[in-house]
Amino acid sequence: MTPKEVLEFVKKNDIKQLDIRFTDLPGVQQHVSYPIDQLTEDSFEEGFGIDGSSIRGWAAINESDMLLIPDPNTAFIDPFFEEKTLVMIGTTIDPITRQHYERDPRWIAMKAEAYLQNTGVADTAYFGAEAEFFIFDNIRFDQNQHSGFYFIDAEEGRWNSGRAENNLGYRPRYKEGYFPVPPTDHYQELRAEMVRTMMECGLEIECHHHEVATGGQCEIDQRFNTLVKSADNMMTYKYCIRNVAYQYGKTVTFMPKPIFGDNGSGMHTHQSLWKGGKPLFAGDGYAGLSQLALYYIGGLLKHARALAAIIAPTTNSYKRLVPGYEAPVNLAYSRRNRSAAVRIPMYSSSPKAKRIEFRPPDPSSNPYLAFAAMLMAGLDGVINKIDPGESLDKDIYDLSPEEMKNVPSMPASLEEALSCLEEDHAFLLKGDVFTEELIETYIAYKRKNEADAVRLRPHPYEFALYYDI
């Protein structure tokens, strides 16, 4: 919509409030609301003032004044507020220079799209991310100087099979939750409500189902879209899922690994490049790929260890990315094989459907940064003709130790991933998409507030291991 059309939409729908949303550096959406009469055509150029000093990873207090510029193309009516509210996603600019703010994740994603066009390689990058999540009934956690614990409960959790009261059975076994019909799948109706709500907000949903783990692991798949739009949609996706669950007395988490001994949640990300309305990943090479697509894979695999700090950005991410379990930690590519970091889906022979799926990302990542970083890695592969090597069509988990020596792997911890990003980030700086200052800020924030913070605290299991040592 144009700004004028947004104002007409406001009048037609008798909207009372305006809600502008933006995303902090770690990837949590924020918002600020105004009476609707504060929105004029000039607002789409002049913006709305906010204090950026308390936003994680953003401005210092002496440079805290920011302007939020609403994007009219993102407008939708919030389905949860009682007062009729128009939502728009904003980008951030400096009120003095009128330049975009370099730590605004959405601006970074916008620059990645511009860089793609400037390279001449392609004019459009499509991203389709499959974010998995858990639905719980209760969550308790605390950490202080003398204690630390978490306690998860879910009606659907297999651990409740021995419960004495109100027990009707029908719970997925550990690692056997993929595709059961109700009543074993407890959340068909809840997911359907989530889908209906997301579609009201303008998202295109392709399917939904129960996932592998017990305890309410689910997946709802969105249709692919352009990079920035897909990142916008992912933020709306998370917002809708959390709030529908909350209305039902449930709680949702996108933590990659909340349950020990069962599958974690990934965000497998499908990607393709197009130019002039034609797909560039289809060809007569391996698995029906073009040489350009193979080079793109080469870039992803070469930079995967550095990408880890952005696409698997939490200490909890590395509870999922463990060799020998369900996660694709080995940096190889293969058709159909879900144990490879890069999978080439083979569902359709249509050139338009040809894409690659990068499997290490998880839904704790900031989608603006994650999608932009993956595109930059892939483009580096295309521009520098990086050979991805031979495909690996065996089950990687069944390879011998001798065979595994030649297969590189993802980092084993957030600290290791941050070190990899420190050493390998020149590809992100191309076209000023990421800046050196942004990467330094990101690494420092993650080290201090997450990697070091977790390392300083005793883990409950350490008492079981070492108390009597």
Side-chain angles (χ1 to χ4, degrees):
M1 289 192 284
T2 64
K4 185 177 181 180
E5 288 171 335
V6 169
L7 294 174
E8 290 171 355
F9 181 80
V10 164
K11 187 175 180 180
K12 179 181 177 182
N13 289 278
D14 194 27
I15 291 169
K16 304 298 185 184
Q17 292 279 316
L18 168 67
D19 200 60
I20 305 179
R21 299 182 182 172
F22 59 99
T23 302
D24 65 14
L25 200 61
V28 175
Q29 197 171 53
Q30 315 292 323
H31 79 133
V32 58
S33 299
Y34 305 88
I36 197 63
D37 61 10
Q38 297 295 303
L39 180 67
T40 67
E41 266 195 84
D42 291 340
S43 302
F44 294 91
E45 289 188 10
E46 295 176 359
F48 295 83
I50 63 165
D51 173 8
S53 63
S54 295
I55 305 303
R56 295 183 301 170
W58 275 34
I61 197 165
N62 61 316
E63 297 177 336
S64 58
D65 287 354
M66 300 280 174
L67 287 173
L68 272 179
I69 308 295
D71 182 344
N73 291 308
T74 63
F76 65 90
I77 296 174
D78 190 284
F80 302 104
F81 294 162
E82 188 172 330
E83 189 84 349
K84 210 162 194 181
T85 301
L86 180 75
V87 174
M88 285 187 283
I89 297 174
T91 51
T92 314
I93 66 171
D94 185 293
I96 298 173
T97 65
R98 304 293 297 185
Q99 298 296 309
H100 283 276
Y101 184 48
E102 295 295 343
R103 294 191 195 176
D104 178 359
R106 192 170 192 262
W107 171 233
I108 293 168
M110 292 167 70
K111 286 192 290 181
E113 286 192 320
Y115 174 71
L116 170 66
Q117 294 180 356
N118 290 336
T119 64
V121 170
D123 53 37
T124 306
Y126 286 116
F127 281 76
E130 304 167 348
E132 299 163 348
F133 56 93
F134 279 87
I135 302 170
F136 296 145
D137 288 277
N138 190 55
I139 177 69
R140 293 189 288 124
F141 53 88
D142 198 7
Q143 176 75 59
N144 53 47
Q145 284 74 15
H146 68 279
S147 67
F149 74 92
Y150 69 88
F151 184 86
I152 295 166
D153 200 14
E155 164 61 31
E156 197 198 69
R158 188 68 178 181
W159 58 85
N160 275 317
S161 293
R163 195 176 64 196
E165 69 284 350
N166 302 320
N167 192 346
L168 301 178
Y170 298 111
R171 297 180 177 89
R173 298 175 184 86
Y174 294 101
K175 295 184 178 290
E176 293 185 23
Y178 207 53
F179 286 8
V181 297
T184 304
D185 176 1
H186 286 213
Y187 296 122
Q188 171 69 21
E189 295 295 339
L190 179 55
R191 289 196 309 273
E193 177 74 7
M194 292 171 175
V195 167
R196 183 189 64 77
T197 304
M198 286 188 278
M199 291 175 71
E200 285 181 6
C201 295
L203 303 189
E204 286 189 76
I205 304 300
E206 293 188 330
C207 72
H208 65 93
H209 57 83
H210 202 285
E211 259 298 335
V212 174
T214 193
Q217 190 185 34
C218 297
E219 179 180 311
I220 301 174
D221 291 342
Q222 303 181 64
R223 184 170 174 79
F224 66 88
N225 212 313
T226 54
L227 190 154
V228 173
K229 187 62 177 173
S230 285
D232 288 343
N233 289 348
M234 183 56 70
M235 300 310 297
T236 302
Y237 171 95
K238 287 185 172 183
Y239 175 75
C240 289
I241 286 172
R242 288 191 180 110
N243 279 279
V244 171
Y246 196 76
Q247 289 180 331
Y248 278 72
K250 310 287 184 181
T251 179
V252 160
T253 183
F254 290 92
M255 274 180 68
K257 189 74 171 183
I259 296 178
F260 167 68
D262 212 336
N263 281 33
S265 293
M267 188 179 74
H268 308 143
T269 305
H270 296 254
Q271 304 164 49
S272 64
L273 298 182
W274 290 56
K275 188 174 184 178
K278 296 182 179 179
L280 300 183
F281 276 12
D284 56 5
Y286 174 81
L289 292 177
S290 65
Q291 185 60 61
L292 182 145
L294 290 168
Y295 287 148
Y296 190 98
I297 292 171
L300 283 176
L301 295 178
K302 177 182 178 181
H303 299 298
R305 289 174 58 79
L307 286 175
I310 298 172
I311 64 169
T314 66
T315 59
N316 187 252
S317 299
Y318 299 88
K319 304 294 193 293
R320 167 182 173 258
L321 294 174
V322 177
Y325 291 86
E326 81 276 2
V329 300
N330 299 293
L331 299 177
Y333 71 101
S334 175
R335 59 186 172 194
R336 304 175 66 183
N337 190 344
R338 284 172 167 78
S339 62
V342 176
R343 183 180 76 92
I344 299 95
M346 302 298 291
Y347 297 121
S348 171
S349 59
S350 169
K352 292 182 178 181
K354 190 54 65 178
R355 63 196 187 275
I356 64 99
E357 176 193 29
F358 194 47
R359 294 178 64 79
D362 69 55
S364 69
S365 61
N366 182 326
Y368 297 104
L369 301 183
F371 297 168
M374 285 185 274
L375 176 63
M376 296 302 288
L379 286 177
D380 189 59
V382 173
I383 292 167
N384 293 296
K385 298 183 177 179
I386 297 173
D387 185 353
E390 293 295 319
S391 62
L392 195 54
D393 292 323
K394 301 177 183 178
D395 185 340
I396 293 173
Y397 302 136
D398 287 339
L399 294 180
S400 68
E402 194 63 32
E403 291 174 299
M404 284 301 300
K405 285 181 182 178
N406 299 318
V407 182
S409 63
M410 293 288 284
S413 67
L414 177 59
E415 180 58 42
E416 185 182 349
L418 292 169
S419 296
C420 291
L421 181 59
E422 270 184 327
E423 296 165 6
D424 175 24
H425 61 259
F427 70 98
L428 295 173
L429 304 179
K430 303 284 180 64
D432 295 323
V433 174
F434 288 75
T435 65
E436 194 75 56
E437 191 270 344
L438 181 280
I439 290 171
E440 288 174 0
T441 298
Y442 181 87
I443 291 172
Y445 177 90
K446 285 286 178 178
R447 277 214 173 107
K448 178 183 177 183
N449 295 287
E450 298 180 32
D452 288 350
V454 170
R455 186 166 56 185
L456 284 167
R457 288 162 170 80
H459 188 285
Y461 193 59
E462 289 178 318
F463 285 85
L465 289 172
Y466 306 129
Y467 188 77
D468 60 351
I469 201 165

